[in-house]
């Protein structure tokens, strides 16, 4: 079993963490993780897509960015580039999208103009300033919010988070760089706390409904659960409602999450929930065991299936949590499939 501690205020930003995630994905040690329910259990991992950008937009009440982030199909960095460079989205070049993405995270983390210029504009402070100015022109609410955090830090040495008077963070005013911390700390802290609170809410609701769903790991804005196979569809719905719908309704943060499943701690199967179906994909060595466990208690309709060979490259190691580092350079079977939402055949003994 995976058993861990949870650290709520182990950093200055109050980002949550747990030692569970100190064991690297892609290692054989992760394959040793086994569900407490043995062959009747699965691991669920989910993380928030672009969580800190979404929290920044909510903190700043920047409506243009909030509306953009509500569209799950939108390429946020491409649209940002079109606004910064004042060109249609279809005319955005790769380097312009890269500038826009870099500017977003530079502002989010309080990066200096000099640092941004050194990395992205060949040392030109003027060009870096032009990118920042264009970004703030496109999203004026963010500029206004950053300045308000700087003023608050100057006045009190502390800044507020998404939870306002319930959560203030010390920016160490007596140390250099406190303005950078003033604009970064609220974003990191709010993002992590939202993820933690929603996960706690999901767990408590699972307990109330007798759904066997156990949290086993948490780091920043990524979470891990164990689920009994007979409760899988209900558990995924419960997690989505708590982690996405509830956060949107209560805190007005336009969040999105990505799911992975697995029979070991390395997971490796990406899952996308649709209204009446699931899209699943992964290397067969991870997908097949998951399907075997689902098929043992569920009936489902196979809507489509495509199998191909896929080369394991260095990028693959860092996409998702699959333990593929030991297979770099090899061609391995990879399957994309679309199935109806599984229906439990009979609760029978498996639910006792």
């Amino acid at each position: 079993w995976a058993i861990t501690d949870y650290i709520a205020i182990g950093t200055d930003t109050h980002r949550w963490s747990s030692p569970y995630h100190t064991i690297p994905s892609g290692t054989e040690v992760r394959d040793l993780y086994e569900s407490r329910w043995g062959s009747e259990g699965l691991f669920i991992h989910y993380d928030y897509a672009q969580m800190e950008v979404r929290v920044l937009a909510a903190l700043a009440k920047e409506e243009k960015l909030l509306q953009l982030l509500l569209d799950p199909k939108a390429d946020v960095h491409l649209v940002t580039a079109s606004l910064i460079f004042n060109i249609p989205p279809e005319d955005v070049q790769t380097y312009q999208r890269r500038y826009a993405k870099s500017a977003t995270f530079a502002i989010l983390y309080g990066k200096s103009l000099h640092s941004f210029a050194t990395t992205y504009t060949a040392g030109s402070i003027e060009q870096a300033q032009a990118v920042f100015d264009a970004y703030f022109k496109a999203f004026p609410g963010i500029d206004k919010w950053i300045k308000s955090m700087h003023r608050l830090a100057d006045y009190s040495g502390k800044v507020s988070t998404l939870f306002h008077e319930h959560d203030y963070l010390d920016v160490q005013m007596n140390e250099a760089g406190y303005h950078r911390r003033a604009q970064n700390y609220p974003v990191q802290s709010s993002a992590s706390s939202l993820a933690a609170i929603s996960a706690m809410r999901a767990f408590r609701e699972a307990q109330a409904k007798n759904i066997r769903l156990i949290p086993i790991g948490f780091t920043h804005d990524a979470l891990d659960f164990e689920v009994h196979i007979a409760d899988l569809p209900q558990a995924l719905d419960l997690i989505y409602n708590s982690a996405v719908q509830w956060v949107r309704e209560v805190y007005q943060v336009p969040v999105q999450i990505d799911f992975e499943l697995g029979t070991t701690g390395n997971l490796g199967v990406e899952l996308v929930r649709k209204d009446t179906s699931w899209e699943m994909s992964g290397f067969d060595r991870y997908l097949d065991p998951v399907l075997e466990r689902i098929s043992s208690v569920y009936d489902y309709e196979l809507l489509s299936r495509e199998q191909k060979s896929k080369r394991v490259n260095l990028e693959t190691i860092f996409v998702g949590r699959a333990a593929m580092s030991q297979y770099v350079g090899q061609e391995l079977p990879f399957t994309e499939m679309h199935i109806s939402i599984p229906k439990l055949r009979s609760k029978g003994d498996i639910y006792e």
Side-chain angles (χ1 to χ4, degrees), residues 173-195:
M173 191 177 177
N174 59 336
E175 298 180 14
Y178 75 90
H179 272 180
R180 175 185 60 79
R181 294 188 288 276
Q183 69 192 71
N184 174 242
Y185 278 17
V187 176
Q188 287 197 37
S189 179
S190 299
S192 185
S193 294
L194 275 180

Side-chain angles (χ1 to χ4, degrees), residues 4-22 48 51-52 161 163 167 169 185 187-201 204 215 217-223:
T4 190
D5 295 322
Y6 296 92
I7 304 167
I9 54 173
T11 66
D12 291 334
T13 60
H14 291 187
R15 293 174 77 180
W16 287 58
S17 64
S18 66
Y20 176 82
H21 285 156
T22 62
Y48 285 86
M51 180 61 155
E52 291 178 341
T161 70
F163 306 96
D167 190 18
L169 301 172
Y185 278 17
V187 176
Q188 287 197 37
S189 179
S190 299
S192 185
S193 294
L194 275 180
I197 292 169
S198 66
M200 185 183 302
R201 186 175 183 274
R204 287 177 175 172
F218 182 105
T219 293
H220 307 327
D221 55 12
L223 297 103

Side-chain angles (χ1 to χ4, degrees), residues 72-308:
K73 296 181 179 179
D75 184 332
V76 175
H77 302 305
L78 185 145
V79 176
T80 300
S82 76
L83 294 171
I84 289 177
F85 294 101
N86 195 28
I87 56 177
E90 59 270 19
D91 292 339
V92 171
Q93 302 297 309
T94 301
Y95 79 92
Q96 293 171 319
R97 183 185 182 280
R98 184 172 63 250
Y99 275 0
K101 181 178 180 178
S102 302
T104 297
F105 285 98
I107 290 165
L108 196 156
Y109 288 107
K111 203 169 188 177
S112 69
L113 272 176
H114 182 271
S115 177
F116 185 84
T118 300
T119 306
Y120 298 105
T121 61
S124 172
I125 298 295
E126 292 77 12
Q127 290 183 33
Q129 184 68 64
V131 173
F132 275 38
D133 288 346
Y135 186 93
F136 288 134
K137 182 179 179 181
F139 303 121
I142 292 178
D143 186 30
K144 181 179 179 181
W145 176 79
I146 288 174
K147 290 176 180 176
S148 72
M149 290 298 101
H150 289 177
R151 288 194 299 270
L152 186 58
D154 289 340
Y155 176 76
S156 67
K158 297 181 179 181
V159 289
S160 60
T161 70
L162 198 63
F163 306 96
H164 304 299
E165 69 274 10
H166 301 293
D167 190 18
Y168 282 92
L169 301 172
D170 186 347
V171 296
Q172 296 94 49
M173 191 177 177
N174 59 336
E175 298 180 14
Y178 75 90
H179 272 180
R180 175 185 60 79
R181 294 188 288 276
Q183 69 192 71
N184 174 242
Y185 278 17
V187 176
Q188 287 197 37
S189 179
S190 299
S192 185
S193 294
L194 275 180
I197 292 169
S198 66
M200 185 183 302
R201 186 175 183 274
F203 174 56
R204 287 177 175 172
E205 187 174 346
Q207 287 183 308
K209 294 182 177 180
N210 199 29
I211 294 172
R212 288 164 289 186
L213 180 70
I214 308 293
I216 58 171
F218 182 105
T219 293
H220 307 327
D221 55 12
L223 297 103
D224 289 89
F225 283 81
E226 280 183 59
V227 63
H228 192 284
I229 188 66
D231 294 332
L232 178 60
Q234 303 98 305
L236 291 176
D237 289 345
L238 190 152
I239 288 172
Y240 183 84
N241 290 338
S242 181
V244 176
Q245 302 287 30
W246 180 76
V247 170
R248 288 182 179 183
E249 292 170 6
V250 176
Y251 294 100
Q252 289 77 55
V253 182
V255 293
Q256 297 283 351
I257 60 173
D258 300 313
F259 279 113
E260 281 190 77
L261 301 178
T263 57
T264 74
N266 274 315
L267 298 105
V269 178
E270 295 185 11
L271 184 146
V272 179
R273 297 168 63 262
K274 302 293 185 180
D275 289 338
T276 60
S277 61
W278 292 350
E279 292 179 356
M280 301 173 68
S281 62
F283 286 98
D284 288 7
R285 72 184 308 271
Y286 295 111
L287 180 60
D288 289 347
V290 169
L291 289 175
E292 182 179 351
R293 293 191 184 182
I294 291 175
S295 300
S296 68
V297 293
Y298 292 101
D299 290 324
Y300 59 84
E301 180 184 356
L302 179 61
L303 304 175
S304 67
R305 182 181 180 117
E306 180 184 357
Q307 188 174 45
K308 54 190 175 183

